[in-house]
Structure formats: C-alpha cells, structure tokens
Amino acid sequence: MGKNDFLTPKAIANRIKAKGLQKLRWYCQMCQKQCRDENGFKCHCMSESHQRQMQVFGQNPNRIIDGYSEEFESTFLEHMKRSHRFSRIAATVVYNEYIADRHHVHMNSTQWATLTEFVKHLGRTGQCKVEETPKGWFMTYIDRDSETLLKERLKNKRLKSDMHEEERQEEEIMKQIERAAKLLKPEAGDGALVSSEASSVDLEQAGKLTFSLGSSSKPVVDDYKKSSKSMFGEDTEDNLKKVKKGANIGKVGGSSVLDDLMKEQEKVKERSNRKDYWLCEGIVVKVMSKALAEKGYLKQKGVVKKVIDKYVGEVEMIDNKHVLRIDQAELETVIPQIGGLVRIVNGAYRGSNARLISVDTDHFCAKVQIEKGIYDGRVLQAVEYEDICKIY
C-alpha cells in the first residue's frame, strides 16, 4: 500500500479534517473552497480558477460584497428566529451555532470584519435588541412577523371591547339601583305617617321589586303604587305594624335585594374575569425557577416588561437589569408594605389598581381598597395573595 493511498492513516486523517470546520482566514468565499493551512491557501490563490473568480470580483466588488452581506444577515436572522425567538442569548452562542453548517456564508466575505460590528448593525437597524454586558454582547430577537402583529392587534382590540362592555354593564346597573332607590323614597306629604323604622323597610317587603338589565321601570312604578295604597290606605295603623314587622324580618333574615343583586353581579364578574393566566406589564414578580438557581436568579425580583402569549413574561431583573423570559408557572406575586399600590391581576376586579390596607398572614389574604375608575373607594375583603401583585 502506498504512502498516500485511500486507507492509509494520513489519508483518513485528511478526510476527517476536511469534514470539520477550518480556520476562517483560509477560506475562499468566491471559490467556496476551504484550505487547511497557509501554504494551501497560498497555492489556491495562485491557481487559474481563483484568478478567473478574482477577475469577476474586480468588475463589481461592491455588488458582490453587498450580496454576501445580505445573504449572511438573512440566514443569521432566520436561525435566530427559528432557534432563539423568545429568549435573550449571547451573540457568540448564536454565531457558533450558525457556522456549524460548513456551507454557510462566511463573515470574511461580508462588510463586517468582526461579530461585534455585525451585532451593533442589528441593533441600529432594529432587527434585534442588543446590549453589552461584562460577559459580552447579548441579543434578543424582535419579532416583526405580520401574523404575530395581527394576532397582537386582535387581542388588544378584544380586550378593549370587553372592558368597555363591562363598564357599560356596571353603569347600567348603578343607574337601575339609583332609580329604584328614588322610587322607594316616601313622598313629603306621607312622610309624617311613617316612622324611622318603616323607612328602612326591605325592598322585597315594600314592593317585591325586581329589576335587571334591559327591563323597563314601569312595572316598578306599578308595584310601588300598589304597595303605597296598601301601606298608606284607610287602615294606616295596621299597615304600619305590618311594615315594621316586615322591616324587622328583613334585618334579621339577611341582605336586601340590592345587596343580593350586587353579590350576584360580583359572582358574574368573578366567573368572567377569573383566568388561568395573570401576568401583566408593570408588576413586580419573584423568580421561583430552580433551573435558574445556578445563575443566581432564584427568589430574585424583577419587573414584567412584556407579556408574550399570555403565559410568558419578559422580566427585567431589578438588581442587574438582565432580561429573562420566564413562564408564569415559575413566577410568584409580590406583596408590598401596608399602604403600597397593587394591581389586581385576577378575579372580579382584574386590571384595577388598589391600595393595600391590611394583610391576614394566617389565611394568606389581604384587604385592599380600589383606587380610580368606576369602583373608586370600594373595599375588598379577603383577596388572595395570588390575585394581587405589587406595582413597580
């Protein structure tokens, strides 16, 4: 067997080397040929085929370099979108994954001499969010896909319409309550006949009024007239005794119709606003992922800067400003000090801001008072820790 035959150790070693990646400075992009050492690259540059390619390159060098640069940028971003679409990662890691393909467009044929220049170019053009850290450059892919943007717009539009519909229903119910309260007030002439106890008669005893959204007020007026006739008719003393008796029963028996209506409305809001996702922008959360314990993020606090697909949050750590993408299952709400502002992230009053009044550590709940909006001043009792979170 000859010295350089096919099955000799040297020939096998050469084939193994040829399969792997070689040094970038010994690669000729025009000829798409990789040389193993400086002598081989020098011999290739003196070859006739290379000289012909250099003549083609000399005719329009800027166009060829721009073409390679555009191809390198598009393939690099495609790899970034496919492999690290929702994560913040080191630029060197992405580059090493990209060059694992032997047939990729090499950087020495583009307009960027170093990876740092290329990363800065991606940041300037708004294709990636880049930041320099003591550990190097880190990148976050900015998803500008038309389908994703369309879904985001539809989701925001749906949320706004739901909020408007909910506010409209609340205003309608408040109007119904005010209208019923006005109808139940005794007239000035008849007020002398009714004592203070009779003025607190339960709505159900006075007229058995029932009202709902969309119902007219005419039946309410008719019922009130009938009840007033029986209440202030000829036999006034007997009717007053009945009214007082009904009032006492209402006091002992439980809540009035208005209270029942409000409770029923609370249950409806609770069912409609109780979701299995609770992340929202601007709240402070605590990282509880054991997988991030080695990197020092366990039980560290951060601010939710962006919510992705309802369940994933882009969290900026408060201590070191690192940005992580973490599922809500690995996050926990943060309770501020007494008097601090909180966001109600789940339940009937989801999305409202409130002030923390007190904390019940035995039952893991808190007492809060809503600030601003149509529920301004309303106090909520026994709100679970998971339903409120500190505002940054």
Side-chain angles (χ1 to χ4, degrees):
M1 184 180 292
K3 187 175 182 180
N4 293 324
D5 287 344
F6 182 76
L7 295 177
T8 58
K10 184 175 181 180
I12 295 173
N14 289 340
R15 288 196 295 274
I16 293 174
K17 290 178 182 178
K19 286 182 179 180
L21 294 172
Q22 306 294 321
K23 288 189 177 181
L24 182 62
R25 61 178 177 173
W26 295 333
Y27 182 82
C28 177
Q29 184 67 55
M30 289 295 296
C31 303
Q32 297 184 358
K33 181 174 177 59
Q34 175 70 63
C35 301
R36 286 201 295 270
D37 52 25
E38 187 176 357
N39 184 42
F41 187 71
K42 182 180 179 181
C43 294
H44 169 72
C45 292
M46 295 172 61
S47 64
E48 183 180 354
S49 62
H50 180 76
Q51 295 298 328
R52 287 197 299 268
Q53 293 292 337
M54 287 298 101
Q55 290 177 1
V56 175
F57 178 79
Q59 294 175 2
N60 197 345
N62 293 331
R63 180 180 177 184
I64 294 176
I65 291 177
D66 291 343
Y68 283 136
S69 301
E70 184 178 350
E71 186 178 354
F72 177 83
E73 182 179 356
S74 61
T75 51
F76 188 92
L77 289 175
E78 182 64 28
H79 173 77
M80 186 81 179
K81 177 181 178 181
R82 186 175 60 252
S83 302
H84 308 287
R85 191 170 186 174
F86 302 112
S87 60
R88 173 179 174 272
I89 193 167
T92 53
V93 174
V94 184
Y95 181 71
N96 289 332
E97 294 176 355
Y98 171 73
I99 66 175
D101 181 12
R102 293 182 66 240
H103 303 292
H104 71 278
V105 178
H106 290 61
M107 186 175 285
N108 64 349
S109 61
T110 65
Q111 60 183 353
W112 305 288
T114 60
L115 180 61
T116 301
E117 293 181 9
F118 177 64
V119 172
K120 289 181 179 179
H121 165 75
L122 294 180
R124 284 194 302 269
T125 55
Q127 299 179 86
C128 290
K129 180 182 176 182
V130 300
E131 58 178 311
E132 187 178 11
T133 66
K135 295 182 180 180
W137 286 89
F138 280 78
M139 308 168 57
T140 305
Y141 180 74
I142 299 176
D143 192 358
R144 300 186 183 278
D145 186 50
S146 59
E147 184 179 353
T148 304
L149 294 176
L150 179 61
K151 289 181 179 179
E152 190 71 20
R153 285 198 297 269
L154 291 176
K155 183 181 74 172
N156 294 335
K157 185 177 180 181
R158 185 170 62 253
L159 291 176
K160 289 181 179 179
S161 64
D162 292 343
M163 290 178 63
H164 291 323
E165 180 66 20
E166 185 178 332
E167 291 177 358
R168 190 187 65 79
Q169 291 181 359
E170 288 295 328
E171 291 176 358
E172 186 67 24
I173 287 183
M174 294 302 295
K175 290 179 181 178
Q176 292 276 3
I177 294 174
E178 292 176 1
R179 190 158 55 242
K182 290 179 180 179
L183 291 173
L184 292 176
K185 287 183 179 179
E187 297 180 359
D190 299 332
L193 300 177
V194 185
S195 63
S196 59
E197 293 184 43
S199 63
S200 60
V201 176
D202 189 87
L203 298 182
E204 187 176 0
Q205 298 293 332
K208 296 184 179 179
L209 301 178
T210 56
F211 50 87
S212 59
L213 292 177
S215 63
S216 62
S217 59
K218 186 175 180 181
V220 177
V221 177
D222 295 338
D223 289 342
Y224 176 71
K225 289 180 179 178
K226 293 177 182 178
S227 61
S228 62
K229 286 181 180 179
S230 62
M231 191 181 302
F232 307 108
E234 297 176 355
D235 194 3
T236 307
E237 295 181 359
D238 295 339
N239 288 330
L240 282 177
K241 291 180 181 180
K242 294 179 181 179
V243 167
K244 290 180 180 180
K245 185 178 180 181
N248 293 330
I249 293 174
K251 291 178 182 178
V252 177
S255 61
S256 65
V257 174
L258 293 179
D259 293 336
D260 293 341
L261 179 65
M262 294 179 67
K263 288 181 180 180
E264 184 65 26
Q265 183 64 18
E266 293 254 352
K267 292 179 181 179
V268 173
K269 287 169 60 63
E270 177 71 20
R271 288 195 297 267
S272 62
N273 290 341
R274 175 68 61 177
K275 310 290 184 183
D276 59 346
Y277 54 89
W278 54 269
L279 283 180
C280 59
E281 297 180 2
I283 60 175
V284 180
V285 294
K286 184 184 291 185
V287 178
M288 303 302 293
S289 174
K290 295 182 180 179
L292 298 175
E294 298 179 357
K295 299 182 180 180
Y297 295 119
L298 183 62
K299 294 187 178 181
Q300 297 297 314
K301 296 179 181 178
V303 183
V304 179
K305 293 295 184 181
K306 184 180 178 182
V307 180
I308 303 168
D309 295 335
K310 299 181 181 179
Y311 299 93
V312 180
E314 191 173 278
V315 182
E316 182 182 273
M317 307 308 295
I318 296 178
D319 295 338
N320 50 24
K321 301 300 180 182
H322 290 176
V323 180
L324 309 175
R325 291 196 176 183
I326 311 175
D327 189 89
Q328 70 169 15
E330 298 178 336
L331 297 174
E332 191 178 79
T333 58
V334 176
I335 306 300
Q337 295 181 351
I338 302 298
L341 280 176
V342 296
R343 175 79 53 78
I344 301 177
V345 296
N346 215 342
Y349 300 93
R350 181 189 184 102
S352 302
N353 293 345
R355 184 78 61 178
L356 184 64
I357 299 176
S358 62
V359 177
D360 186 356
T361 55
D362 295 333
H363 299 88
F364 304 101
C365 60
K367 179 181 179 182
V368 298
Q369 183 177 13
I370 298 179
E371 294 194 346
K372 298 182 180 180
I374 59 177
Y375 310 112
D376 187 13
R378 183 171 295 183
V379 178
L380 307 180
Q381 306 282 351
V383 182
E384 296 184 0
Y385 287 168
E386 292 79 5
D387 293 345
I388 58 175
C389 191
K390 178 181 178 181
I391 297 178
Y392 183 65

